[in-house]
Amino acid sequence: MPYTYLTTEELSARIRYDVRTIRQCLKDAVLFEGIHYIRPFGGRKILYIWERVEESMLLGASAHDLINQLN
């Protein structure tokens, strides 16, 4: 399945949240590395996986659901 990778700024434009809110409140609290975003090539840059972010927003996924996605 092809994924759509977004920078924090691009994600901000799509979900209408401030970039700072995404970085400080959503990242690692609601959006998790390896599920909702990746760090390509082990670098500092973060790319969000749009399809996974959108699915979590629509379904209101709980932490339990997210853990089950990994298994």
Side-chain angles (χ1 to χ4, degrees):
M1 172 181 179
Y3 293 112
T4 306
Y5 298 104
L6 304 173
T7 64
T8 306
E9 291 77 13
E10 292 167 331
L11 180 63
S12 171
R14 284 203 186 190
I15 66 172
R16 308 288 195 259
Y17 274 78
D18 188 78
V19 170
R20 196 170 2 143
T21 300
I22 294 171
R23 287 185 180 136
Q24 294 176 354
C25 299
L26 299 180
K27 187 176 132 316
D28 298 325
V30 177
L31 304 174
F32 299 101
E33 187 170 4
I35 298 173
H36 300 101
Y37 71 89
I38 61 169
R39 295 176 189 268
F41 313 111
R44 293 183 61 207
K45 185 167 192 74
I46 292 174
L47 293 177
Y48 290 90
I49 304 167
W50 170 244
E51 291 77 12
R52 296 217 177 137
V53 172
E54 184 179 43
E55 180 181 22
S56 291
M57 287 189 328
L58 293 172
L59 299 177
S62 67
H64 178 71
D65 295 333
L66 298 173
I67 291 169
N68 284 338
Q69 284 181 359
L70 293 175
N71 296 329

